[in-house]
Amino acid sequence: MSNSCQQLTIDVPEELKDAIIGELSELGADGIWENGEPLPATTRLEIYFNTPVSLGAFEACVGPVFLRAGLAVPKIVVGTVAERDWLGEWKKSYASFPIARGFYIIPSWSDSKCPEDRQPIRIDPGQAFGTGTHETTQLTLECLEDRAGKLISAGLVLDLGTGSGILAIAARLLGCDRVIGCDNDPDSMHVAAENIERNTDFFIPIYCGSIDAAQTNSVDLLLCNLTADVIARVFPEIRRALNPSGIVIFSGILVEQRGQIRDIVEDSGWTIEDDRTRGEWIAMVVRKPE
Ligand code: SAH
């Protein structure tokens, strides 16, 4: 029984912030707070663990991100603070907002009204990824929206790494008739299924797993907001599962990783049809040849 939790504080360069937050979420951080800019282009992160981690485990988690950037791990300050209701505090900060051209995200517990010219997506992300606040989700949604008119409505859309289900829901609301989601995190499946039910009567199956479970040449549009490393790892499976002339929207790629993904895609003879940047993130729309 404890009513205190461990707090670690570290100042990180702005361009590494998202990668570090991602790693720390994987490590099981219960709360990550961005708390000001101690130096220009630097963010102070306060990371909270209800179950303390060793400094070694923390360094082993964030170290590779700094190493890849050719930087030393900055000083880490370790302390203890009273335990907080992370979920409650976070819920207060998650408000409704417009996203892409035609959608409006509304937290499931909010009674906000959706503007008339937008479609609501009601989300309770729980512990899953996919609040809609992240640039990588926004870029994917914008690319999806721009393609919607050109989508074969009978084609199969697979949302790989569905998280909260936000992109699968958007694909359905944009008129896609066959949408499936998957995630290798079992918790996501339940969260996504609940969100789907909140937003559409349409059946969108969600399975626990990844692209290797998809049939060969079966997917017409793949939504793929992962990370560059995961994309590189699963690319052979993506190549197999995508239908000839099928499209992938890759997102979750840092600007400096653009070349890595571009090489993989072009070495396979695929065409890059769109490439967008937001902040430190890019998304690429790619087509497999006939
Ligand atoms: N689609 C949501 C969430 C993206 S976060 C959005 O755009 O906001 C990435 C998600 O991919 C996470 O839920 C993570 O659990 C999942 N994931 C990571 N690697 C995966 C893999 N190899 N196969 C399936 N899902 C994966």
Side-chain angles (χ1 to χ4, degrees):
M1 263 287 290
S2 105
N3 52 6
S4 66
C5 72
Q6 182 188 35
Q7 178 190 43
L8 296 115
T9 307
I10 184 169
D11 295 342
V12 302
E14 198 55 42
E15 69 273 15
L16 299 186
K17 185 187 74 184
D18 284 314
I20 289 170
I21 291 176
E23 294 297 331
L24 290 168
S25 307
E26 292 274 312
L27 187 64
D30 293 288
I32 302 176
W33 245 234
E34 292 178 33
N35 203 355
E37 296 169 24
L39 291 168
T42 305
T43 303
R44 174 157 297 168
L45 294 181
E46 290 172 0
I47 306 107
Y48 299 92
F49 290 90
N50 290 338
T51 307
V53 294
S54 71
L55 196 53
F58 187 85
E59 280 176 342
C61 169
V62 298
V65 180
F66 288 98
L67 196 67
R68 278 199 296 276
L71 298 171
V73 178
K75 195 171 107 185
I76 300 162
V77 180
V78 186
T80 303
V81 293
E83 196 170 334
R84 283 153 66 177
D85 172 13
W86 300 113
L87 196 57
E89 287 191 32
W90 177 81
K91 277 188 162 183
K92 274 187 244 157
S93 70
Y94 183 48
S96 307
F97 60 99
I99 182 169
R101 267 200 317 277
F103 292 106
Y104 196 70
I105 305 290
I106 304 180
S108 65
W109 54 90
S110 158
D111 54 8
S112 289
K113 288 252 168 342
C114 179
E116 268 173 26
D117 54 345
R118 289 178 177 268
Q119 299 197 70
I121 300 182
R122 294 176 204 283
I123 292 284
D124 182 346
Q127 300 285 341
F129 288 99
T131 57
T133 53
H134 204 275
E135 289 96 326
T136 62
T137 312
Q138 293 168 6
L139 282 169
T140 320
L141 206 47
E142 288 165 21
C143 293
L144 172 66
E145 201 173 45
D146 284 353
R147 297 260 139 199
K150 300 174 206 148
L151 293 176
I152 341 111
S153 68
L156 177 67
V157 179
L158 176 64
D159 180 13
L160 175 58
T162 194
S164 66
I166 184 168
L167 298 176
I169 293 166
R172 172 58 198 153
L173 296 178
L174 286 168
C176 300
D177 283 341
R178 289 169 62 212
V179 184
I180 297 181
C182 72
D183 204 294
N184 61 6
D185 170 8
D187 292 340
S188 267
M189 280 176 35
H190 307 296
V191 171
E194 280 173 14
N195 284 321
I196 288 164
E197 229 182 284
R198 282 189 177 98
N199 288 283
T200 170
D201 295 334
F202 193 79
F203 180 55
I204 300 179
I206 301 288
Y207 67 89
C208 185
S210 191
I211 182 81
D212 51 330
Q215 282 178 10
T216 301
N217 293 348
S218 66
V219 179
D220 297 285
L221 174 67
L222 184 70
L223 305 173
C224 194
N225 181 14
L226 298 168
T227 60
D229 289 350
V230 178
I231 291 170
R233 205 169 58 233
V234 301
F235 188 77
E237 286 296 313
I238 292 178
R239 191 168 49 201
R240 183 192 58 75
L242 203 69
N243 240 333
S245 72
I247 288 177
V248 186
I249 302 176
F250 285 122
S251 192
I253 304 161
L254 290 161
V255 171
E256 63 265 26
Q257 296 167 329
R258 176 186 263 130
Q260 182 196 350
I261 300 300
R262 192 173 268 270
D263 287 351
I264 292 172
V265 159
E266 289 179 343
D267 286 352
S268 288
W270 293 21
T271 321
I272 299 173
E273 295 195 340
D274 197 354
D275 180 328
R276 298 179 189 197
T277 308
R278 170 119 358 117
E280 57 190 318
W281 298 98
I282 66 142
M284 251 185 234
V285 182
V286 170
R287 189 187 288 274
K288 181 177 172 177
E290 284 270 352

